[in-house]
Amino acid sequence: MSRPVFVSEYGVLSPGGDSSLALLSATLSGVSAVNVIKDLAVAVGSDYRAHFPRLACLPGALEWEDRVELALRHLLDQSHPVLLITPDQGAPQFSWMRDVLSLADPEGRLEWVTVDALASVLSRQVIRLRAGEISALSVFGLDSLVHPVNVMQLAAAAQLQTDKLPDGRAVGEGFAWFTLSCQPAPVEWQADAAGVEPNAGEMMPASLLGLADTISALKEGGELSRPRLIIHARAQAPRDDLEWHHASQRLWPARLAPRENLAMRKGEQQAPQPAPPPWQQHLKPAKVTGELGAAAFPMAIALACERLCWSLAPAPQALVVDAGAQQARCAVWLKNTESQGCDSNE
C-alpha cells in the first residue's frame, strides 16, 4: 500500500535570509544579496582587465558553521535516514566541508550523495517511505562556492559573473534542509522524477529535451496540469530561461488545436485566438543568493513550501525544477493540501 508523503519540516540559511520566510520575502521583492567583491581580483580568459567577482557571502557574525552543526544534530536525533548533498570530492571546498561535518556527525550516520546522483537516490528513498520501510527522510544540502580557489577556477573558465561579465553565474554559500514523512502536513510531496539532458551544450529547441521529459515523467499515462507556481532552483542566466521555454512549449503549447487550425485555413470559421493561459509565478532564488551548488535543491523545496502556504496568496500546487549547467535534471510536484477554493482564476 502506497502512503501519501508530506513535507513536515524545512529550513534555510542563506545570504538572502536566515529563514525560509526571509528568503521568500527577498525573492519576491527582488532584493539580491549578490555584491561585487572589490577585495578579490580575478582574470577572465584573455581579458587583460581586472575583474571583480559578484558573490553572495554570509555575514561572519552568523557563525554559520555552528548553525550547520545544530541543524544536523537536530535531524540525526530523530533516528531516521538523512541524505547529505555534497559537491564532488575534487571540489576546492570539499575538505572544508568534511571538517565541518565531522564535528556534527562523528558517528558517520549521514548518507553522502553527490548533486548529480541526488535525484535517483531521492526517488528510491521516497518509494521506501511510501512503502512504510522508513518512518521519515531528511535531505540536507551544504555548499560554499565562494571558496577563493573555486572562484578562480570559474573565472578562468569564463563562467563567473563579474562586474565586467554579466553573462556568467554569481555564486554564494549556505545550507538548507527538509524532512519528508507520512504525517499529514500542509504540503504534500506528490511526485518526483529524475532525468538527464544529453544535449546540455546545445541551444536548439529540438536538442533540449531533457527537462521536458523529466517533467513529463511526473505523471505517467495522464495529462500534466499547468502549474501555477514554478521554482527554478538554479536559474539566473538567459540559457536557463531558454531551456524552460522549450520545455513549457512542449508540455503546454500555446497554440490552436489541429482541428480548429484546419477549419480556419479552409475558411470554415474565422481565425480564433488561443485562450490566454492562467497566471503563473516564477521564482528564481539563485538571483538572490547566487548559485548554491549542493544546497540549491533543498533550498528550492523550502522556498516552494513557504510560498505554497503564504497567507497573502496561497498557491494550489508548485513545480520545482533543478536544471543546472550539468546533465542531471530533477523535477518535483508539490501540492497545498489546504488550498481548496483558491484556484478560482481558471
Side-chain angles (χ1 to χ4, degrees):
M1 179 180 178
S2 179
R3 304 183 299 175
V5 173
F6 301 88
V7 183
S8 58
E9 287 184 302
Y10 52 88
V12 305
L13 177 65
S14 75
D18 60 353
S19 67
S20 55
L21 180 58
L23 178 60
L24 175 62
S25 301
T27 306
L28 291 175
S29 59
V31 178
S32 176
V34 177
N35 297 300
V36 176
I37 306 301
K38 293 288 187 177
D39 299 334
L40 179 63
V42 296
V44 178
S46 59
D47 194 341
Y48 65 91
R49 299 173 298 177
H51 288 247
F52 296 101
R54 292 177 56 84
L55 310 178
C57 303
L58 286 169
L62 286 176
E63 298 179 354
W64 74 298
E65 296 181 5
D66 296 335
R67 297 281 296 270
V68 170
E69 184 177 354
L70 289 174
L72 277 175
R73 288 187 175 179
H74 166 70
L75 299 177
L76 292 171
D77 288 344
Q78 300 181 37
S79 302
H80 61 249
V82 179
L83 296 180
L84 175 65
I85 315 172
T86 65
D88 295 334
Q89 295 187 8
Q93 68 272 25
F94 184 81
S95 59
W96 165 82
M97 289 179 51
R98 183 177 54 196
D99 296 338
V100 174
L101 296 171
S102 63
L103 299 176
D105 182 34
E107 298 87 4
R109 291 181 292 169
L110 295 170
E111 181 180 350
W112 293 45
V113 57
T114 62
V115 176
D116 291 339
L118 170 66
S120 56
V121 174
L122 179 61
S123 296
R124 293 195 298 267
Q125 293 287 5
V126 170
I127 292 175
R128 294 183 59 202
L129 182 58
R130 294 186 186 277
E133 298 180 12
I134 54 178
S135 60
L137 172 69
S138 293
V139 179
F140 189 97
L142 167 69
D143 212 338
S144 178
L145 296 181
V146 299
H147 190 284
V149 177
N150 185 71
V151 171
M152 295 295 184
Q153 292 177 353
L154 291 174
Q159 298 178 356
L160 180 68
Q161 187 178 119
T162 69
D163 59 337
K164 301 179 181 67
L165 183 65
D167 293 335
R169 290 180 176 272
V171 296
E173 59 184 353
F175 72 83
W177 57 273
F178 63 89
T179 298
L180 302 178
S181 70
C182 294
Q183 298 296 327
V187 178
E188 181 180 355
W189 183 283
Q190 286 204 306
D192 56 87
V196 296
E197 175 53 74
N199 304 309
E202 301 292 335
M203 297 293 288
M204 298 301 294
S207 301
L208 297 174
L209 306 177
L211 184 59
D213 293 339
T214 304
I215 298 174
S216 298
L218 291 174
K219 192 172 182 181
E220 298 181 358
E223 182 181 357
L224 186 68
S225 60
R226 190 174 184 269
R228 291 297 188 88
L229 175 64
I230 302 97
I231 310 293
H232 305 266
R234 306 173 195 270
Q236 56 175 305
R239 174 184 175 80
D240 303 315
D241 298 334
L242 181 63
E243 185 173 12
W244 168 256
H245 174 74
H246 294 163
S248 61
Q249 288 301 307
R250 285 190 59 203
L251 296 170
W252 306 286
R255 55 177 178 263
L256 297 174
R259 184 177 296 276
E260 291 184 352
N261 193 20
L262 180 60
M264 178 192 66
R265 289 190 294 171
K266 288 183 175 180
E268 298 175 358
Q269 67 179 34
Q270 294 182 350
Q273 296 296 322
W279 64 270
Q280 275 188 326
Q281 185 176 33
H282 296 260
L283 297 183
K284 302 175 181 179
K287 290 192 173 183
V288 174
T289 64
E291 167 66 46
L292 292 181
F297 176 73
M299 191 162 294
I301 295 294
L303 181 64
C305 294
E306 191 68 39
R307 175 60 186 87
L308 282 173
C309 302
W310 195 31
S311 58
L312 295 179
Q317 77 283 114
L319 174 66
V320 179
V321 293
D322 190 0
Q326 304 300 321
Q327 290 187 341
R329 298 292 184 266
C330 180
V332 176
W333 189 266
L334 301 174
K335 178 184 177 182
N336 186 350
T337 60
E338 300 178 350
S339 65
Q340 289 81 2
C342 75
D343 198 21
S344 59
N345 293 329
E346 289 284 1

